[in-house]
Amino acid sequence: MIRAYSLSETFSEEGFNLYREMRRKGITPDPLSFSFVTKCCVKGSSVLEGLQVHARVLRDGHRSDSRLLTTVMDFYSSFKRFDDACKVFDEMSHRDTVAWNVLISCYIRNGRTGDALVVFDMMESGHSGSQPDDVTCLLVLQACSNLGALEFGERVCRYIQEHGYGHLRNLCNALIAMYSRCGCVGKAYQLFKGMPNRDVVSWTAMISGLASHGHGREAIDAFREMLRTGVAPDEQTFTGVLSACSHSGLVDEGWMFFDHMSKEFGIMPNIHHYGCMVDLLGRVGLLDQAYQLILSMSFSPDPTMWRTLLGACRIHGHVALGERVIEHLIELKAQEAGDYVLLLNIYSSVGNWEKVIEVRKWMKAKGIQTTPGCSTMEVKGEVHEFVVDDLSHPRKKEIYEMLDEIGKQLKIAGYVAEVTSELHNSGAEEKANRLSYHSEKLAMAFGILATPPGTTIRVAKNIRTCVDCHNFAKMLSGVYNREIIIRDRNRFHCFREGQCSCNDYW
């Protein structure tokens, strides 16, 4: 019965109540009982109850049961108590592959994605005493997707083929997602075409990959091909299709799919679908339509939707609506530093420096700090991380010298810093200097420095790339004859011969 409750989405807390009744009746739980009630605590977000169960596990002498302890690890990881999860792992007398997989999952959940790759290295080399299995590969491919670690992902792909996991559909789907998220949508498509049995997840992964690379028409073609093969779309599929319309500015097609999903497929639009439509309308400048669409929803908009509209206000310099959106976020008590940065962008784009100063002072008084931009790139299987004005890299002197040299060459070719990307009311020269050392520029300079001529440079950034860095990458791709792929928070930018795949529409 406790196990049944642990599988329930709505009555999981009853599992803990049943466990408590079991103890009151004098029945001693065994490791399976503890495992299932711990899962109930995860499902029901019951931290205190889970801590009580862990204490009883230790008191009843189950310290050597690795399967039970991996469930306890997963409990701590689910609540972002990473140190506690690691402590349980360190105290385990025997660590099997399942335990190592849970550790990898812990690392990914807690943003320590690079460490997940280190664990895979340990497992593959035999130092852990356990070999990676199909679940390990699935988790590590997710980590590679997050980091944009293509070389490592291809290594995992080889491991999958060598160990007979290549026929597993979930791994093929994960590989499609990994290649797409690492900027290799062509390889993702090759893998997709070679799959004998494609399910809705396979099609959705391919459609979403095409969408994020700006191939809107191709994503729509793939959706129609999916229907012809008899595979029914789900909610995620329509999120991918609507996202494709958004990234390519296909307004009529977006409205058509938004309308058809409920009328033809019986799928009612959820908040993600509305969010895609708001993004689509906002990108093309139909801000009032986007605002009215949000107000027409039968459910309350979440902060992400308001931020999408706020981003559109920044692009089109719509000050009044931007201020209104901030008010909605304040009502939800969901405003974040990034929201005020977007508002600062709106004010600075119209030259309202008094408002910029006012918002900055307010942010400082409230102790609101912005998320620093961070860019990663992989060279020879090692992931390198950069932040703005970074001085932590062991080759920092060479990187800055290379970046200065690149800047000189690009200026000869006609590059001029886009100073509107800098939010301080200072002179043009000072603004250009502030923009010089953004994290993606440092990553690109390192790519030029550390890789042979002609090598593609791949960069992943945690926030939206600014206009100046976008222009910088375009010029760099032409002057240095390099293909540069940057994945920011919104989409992929493939720079080649001085042009970007987004056609400056992002």
Side-chain angles (χ1 to χ4, degrees):
M1 281 304 300
I2 294 173
R3 178 178 183 273
Y5 281 126
S6 76
L7 298 172
S8 169
E9 296 294 335
T10 51
F11 299 105
S12 54
E13 68 276 5
E14 292 299 324
F16 183 79
N17 293 336
L18 202 62
Y19 159 80
R20 197 159 47 187
E21 181 182 342
M22 176 184 181
R23 295 199 65 86
R24 277 200 300 265
K25 291 181 178 294
I27 302 171
T28 304
D30 65 6
L32 281 177
S33 312
F34 282 123
S35 181
F36 294 137
V37 74
T38 302
K39 290 178 181 178
C40 287
C41 295
V42 173
K43 277 277 183 71
S45 300
S46 308
V47 182
L48 182 60
E49 288 83 350
L51 292 172
Q52 293 172 16
V53 173
H54 185 199
R56 181 59 67 175
V57 166
L58 298 176
R59 192 180 303 176
D60 288 2
H62 297 296
R63 295 174 184 270
S64 60
D65 194 309
S66 61
R67 287 300 171 97
L68 171 57
L69 293 179
T70 54
T71 306
V72 175
M73 277 180 66
D74 188 58
F75 160 76
Y76 283 118
S77 174
S78 298
F79 295 104
K80 299 192 181 300
R81 298 180 60 143
F82 180 70
D83 291 340
D84 290 323
C86 282
K87 187 178 179 183
V88 174
F89 180 81
D90 291 339
E91 292 174 353
M92 290 172 65
S93 57
H94 172 68
R95 304 181 189 111
D96 58 8
T97 299
V98 176
W100 286 97
N101 287 347
V102 173
L103 181 66
I104 292 172
S105 178
C106 286
Y107 280 131
I108 294 171
R109 281 178 179 172
N110 288 272
R112 293 178 56 177
T113 319
D115 290 327
L117 306 188
V118 174
V119 173
F120 181 84
D121 273 337
M122 290 175 61
M123 295 178 73
E124 192 182 18
S125 66
H127 292 156
S128 69
S130 300
Q131 283 291 307
D133 61 6
D134 58 318
V135 176
T136 317
C137 295
L138 196 65
L139 291 167
V140 175
L141 285 173
Q142 180 187 337
C144 293
S145 297
N146 294 344
L147 285 171
L150 175 63
E151 291 178 36
F152 205 103
E154 292 190 314
R155 204 178 106 196
V156 177
C157 181
R158 288 192 295 272
Y159 183 92
I160 288 169
Q161 299 301 328
E162 290 166 2
H163 289 78
Y165 298 134
H167 66 286
L168 297 178
R169 191 162 55 189
N170 62 343
L171 283 178
C172 291
N173 294 340
L175 283 167
I176 292 170
M178 185 275 292
Y179 278 122
S180 295
R181 300 234 334 137
C182 289
C184 292
V185 71
K187 285 190 175 182
Y189 187 69
Q190 288 174 11
L191 181 65
F192 172 77
K193 293 297 285 185
M195 287 179 67
N197 298 303
R198 298 185 285 249
D199 61 5
V200 66
V201 178
S202 316
W203 284 98
T204 300
M206 194 65 253
I207 290 168
S208 299
L210 290 166
S212 65
H213 285 78
H215 302 308
R217 295 288 181 190
E218 291 84 349
I220 291 172
D221 290 342
F223 176 78
R224 288 171 174 153
E225 178 65 23
M226 181 186 79
L227 297 182
R228 282 194 289 271
T229 62
V231 177
D234 61 11
E235 290 182 343
Q236 285 74 28
T237 314
F238 275 104
T239 299
V241 172
L242 292 174
S243 175
C245 295
S246 171
H247 285 307
S248 300
L250 305 174
V251 178
D252 293 339
E253 291 84 348
W255 277 121
M256 180 191 70
F257 287 118
F258 188 73
D259 186 53
H260 284 186
M261 63 185 292
S262 57
K263 291 181 179 178
E264 291 190 17
F265 300 96
I267 299 173
M268 297 306 296
N270 62 28
I271 200 159
H272 302 295
H273 303 127
Y274 274 98
C276 288
M277 289 303 298
V278 169
D279 189 38
L280 169 58
L281 296 171
R283 284 174 188 271
V284 299
L286 300 173
L287 299 179
D288 290 330
Q289 276 193 44
Y291 186 57
Q292 291 305 316
L293 181 63
I294 293 176
L295 298 180
S296 72
M297 295 191 314
S298 59
F299 42 83
S300 299
D302 65 357
T304 301
M305 186 170 293
W306 287 121
R307 288 184 186 116
T308 299
L309 183 56
L310 185 61
C313 292
R314 183 203 64 78
I315 293 169
H316 298 286
H318 200 317
V319 178
L321 184 56
E323 291 175 332
R324 213 178 311 160
V325 171
I326 286 288
E327 289 173 6
H328 285 292
L329 286 166
I330 291 171
E331 285 176 13
L332 292 173
K333 296 181 179 179
Q335 68 274 25
E336 294 177 353
D339 305 328
Y340 294 106
V341 171
L342 286 173
L343 188 61
L344 287 170
N345 271 289
I346 295 170
Y347 287 138
S348 66
S349 67
V350 297
N352 193 339
W353 295 107
E354 288 183 8
K355 281 287 189 180
V356 170
I357 294 168
E358 182 184 323
V359 173
R360 280 193 178 281
K361 284 181 178 178
W362 187 87
M363 290 174 68
K364 187 175 181 180
K366 294 289 184 180
I368 298 174
Q369 295 183 335
T370 57
T371 301
C374 174
S375 296
T376 58
M377 73 172 299
E378 183 188 31
V379 175
K380 297 178 181 178
E382 182 181 354
V383 177
H384 299 260
E385 185 174 281
F386 301 91
V387 296
V388 64
D389 296 328
D390 202 335
L391 295 173
S392 63
H393 198 279
R395 299 183 67 181
K396 58 181 179 292
K397 186 174 183 294
E398 297 171 85
I399 292 170
Y400 278 95
E401 288 174 352
M402 175 58 73
L403 186 53
D404 289 342
E405 176 60 27
I406 291 171
K408 291 174 185 175
Q409 296 299 323
L410 297 195
K411 283 177 183 176
I412 293 171
Y415 164 72
V416 178
E418 179 57 65
V419 294
T420 57
S421 298
E422 173 52 43
L423 299 178
H424 292 81
N425 186 17
S426 51
E429 186 176 346
E430 185 181 344
K431 286 186 175 187
N433 289 336
R434 287 178 182 271
L435 293 166
S436 295
Y437 304 122
H438 279 189
S439 63
E440 58 265 61
K441 288 184 181 177
L442 293 170
M444 286 186 272
F446 178 67
I448 297 291
L449 179 69
T451 62
T455 305
T456 299
I457 296 172
R458 303 174 189 276
V459 178
K461 183 163 187 187
N462 64 332
I463 60 177
R464 185 183 183 274
T465 191
C466 73
V467 175
D468 179 65
C469 288
H470 189 268
N471 293 344
F472 184 91
K474 280 200 297 185
M475 292 290 290
L476 178 60
S477 69
V479 172
Y480 282 80
N481 195 26
R482 294 283 193 118
E483 182 177 358
I484 300 169
I485 299 174
I486 296 180
R487 186 190 82 200
D488 69 7
R489 189 177 60 187
N490 293 336
R491 62 170 295 155
F492 278 89
H493 301 270
C494 181
F495 302 93
R496 189 184 293 117
E497 297 178 352
Q499 300 295 321
C500 180
S501 59
C502 74
N503 293 316
D504 297 335
Y505 182 81
W506 91 104

